[in-house]
Amino acid sequence: MESDALETMEHKAQKEAVKAMFTSFNRALEHNGVSRFSTFINWGYAEAEDEKEAAGSLPGGVNHQSLRLLQEIMHGVDVQGKDVLEIACGRGGNVRALCKSYGPRTVAGLDLTEANIAFCLAGNRYEQATFCVGDAEELPLPDECCDIVLNIESSDLYPRITRFYDEVFRVLKAGGLFVYADDLDALKFETGERYLLELGFEMSLVRDISEHALRASDLARGSRLAALGDALGKEDAVWETMGVPGTPIYDDMHSGKRRYKILHLKKKV
């Protein structure tokens, strides 16, 4: 796989479509009066016992599975006193949780969609948190400025994914950690992992959590999404991005064609 150097008109159109999708999602949440409660857009994470405890309602609240996903992704990562960048911060749920519970020095949240950043800025209560609009393939940051780069469930939407990998490597300090979690086509994951190793990363963790993500999606169908009312009713693209049961992404993961993995990659010193 070679890094894509130039952005084409097609790439730009794909990014505009992503922005339009999440802008519509924000409008739908506002329209249904649930915007302030909806700080995550992801699969979530659930154990087998969660199915038994749910009994028609999501255990621990609407955001419980998303917070649990972050805990699993960040397990073993020392965030205390570190400078963290989240690429594709969405509506800021992860940034808020990191500031509240993990003790970073700073957390910067970057997202392509202006509506997401506007929501984050309006609700930010943490001095160490900042937010900005930005492109994952052209990060508006200097070289070697971050201790940790976090990216969750976003990279499959990037037209030039290897350009994104290049940018992560560039902004990480030597010895810094790329914490990466996504649901991708299994072959795309394998190709991407090879590229990251060739780029100069060392793999410290590879964990497949596909079954946990599928379980969380099953629970969310009747609980979290029900709590959101009609907010997602007509946003088919967002439903698929979140892996709602019955969508092609969900079916592909269930069949094994698509996998959800957590990767921890250290930039070589």
Side-chain angles (χ1 to χ4, degrees):
M1 183 190 295
E2 296 182 356
S3 178
D4 299 304
L6 299 176
E7 183 175 51
T8 67
M9 293 301 295
E10 182 180 357
H11 295 153
K12 292 179 180 179
Q14 290 172 356
K15 292 177 184 180
E16 288 300 318
V18 169
K19 290 168 65 175
M21 176 177 69
F22 286 109
T23 299
S24 296
F25 178 66
N26 276 274
R27 285 200 211 99
L29 293 175
E30 288 286 349
H31 178 75
N32 285 277
V34 295
S35 180
R36 68 190 183 97
F37 304 110
S38 304
T39 56
F40 294 93
I41 310 171
N42 58 35
W43 284 77
Y45 180 101
E47 298 282 2
E49 54 265 28
D50 292 333
E51 294 179 318
K52 300 174 183 178
E53 296 173 1
S57 63
L58 189 64
V62 171
N63 292 321
H64 171 74
Q65 290 177 343
S66 294
L67 288 167
R68 178 65 186 279
L69 176 64
L70 180 65
Q71 292 170 2
E72 297 296 327
I73 291 169
M74 298 303 295
H75 182 71
V77 178
D78 179 14
V79 182
Q80 190 73 34
K82 302 292 178 60
D83 293 317
V84 182
L85 167 66
E86 183 181 16
I87 299 172
C89 65
R91 291 170 62 82
N94 293 321
V95 172
R96 180 182 300 181
L98 289 171
C99 290
K100 181 180 179 181
S101 304
Y102 288 80
R105 190 176 82 89
T106 63
V107 184
L110 176 144
D111 200 272
L112 185 65
T113 303
E114 290 87 348
N116 282 342
I117 294 301
F119 176 82
C120 292
L121 289 170
N124 183 31
R125 302 193 305 271
Y126 296 95
E127 292 183 359
Q128 69 267 50
T130 58
F131 297 94
C132 70
V133 176
D135 187 334
E137 298 174 0
E138 301 288 345
L139 295 175
L141 295 168
D143 296 351
E144 299 187 347
C145 62
C146 304
D147 297 301
I148 299 169
V149 173
L150 175 65
N151 183 252
I152 301 175
E153 294 184 29
S154 178
S155 67
D156 203 27
L157 298 175
Y158 303 160
R160 300 179 296 165
I161 193 169
T162 54
R163 176 66 183 174
F164 159 63
Y165 295 151
D166 292 343
E167 283 290 88
V168 171
F169 190 83
R170 180 182 67 80
V171 302
L172 269 175
K173 299 174 184 177
L177 190 66
F178 179 24
V179 180
Y180 184 32
D182 213 337
D183 57 293
L184 301 176
D185 179 90
L187 292 177
K188 187 173 183 177
F189 243 135
E190 291 178 12
T191 305
E193 288 173 32
R194 284 197 300 271
Y195 186 90
L196 288 162
L197 294 175
E198 292 171 2
L199 196 57
F201 282 106
E202 295 176 329
M203 195 87 69
S204 59
L205 174 72
V206 181
R207 182 184 172 201
D208 190 320
I209 61 165
S210 301
E211 296 307 314
H212 299 281
L214 287 167
R215 189 175 294 119
S217 182
D218 291 338
L219 289 174
R221 176 70 178 181
S223 51
R224 181 178 56 163
L225 295 181
L228 291 174
D230 296 329
L232 300 179
K234 298 180 180 179
E235 299 299 324
D236 295 338
V238 176
W239 276 57
E240 179 157 348
T241 297
M242 295 175 69
V244 173
T247 60
I249 284 179
Y250 177 94
D251 292 341
D252 284 349
M253 191 181 296
H254 202 274
S255 71
K257 180 181 178 182
R258 194 175 187 91
R259 308 308 299 166
Y260 196 126
K261 291 184 182 180
I262 300 170
L263 307 181
H264 290 180
L265 301 116
K266 183 179 180 181
K267 182 176 179 179
K268 293 180 182 177
V269 177

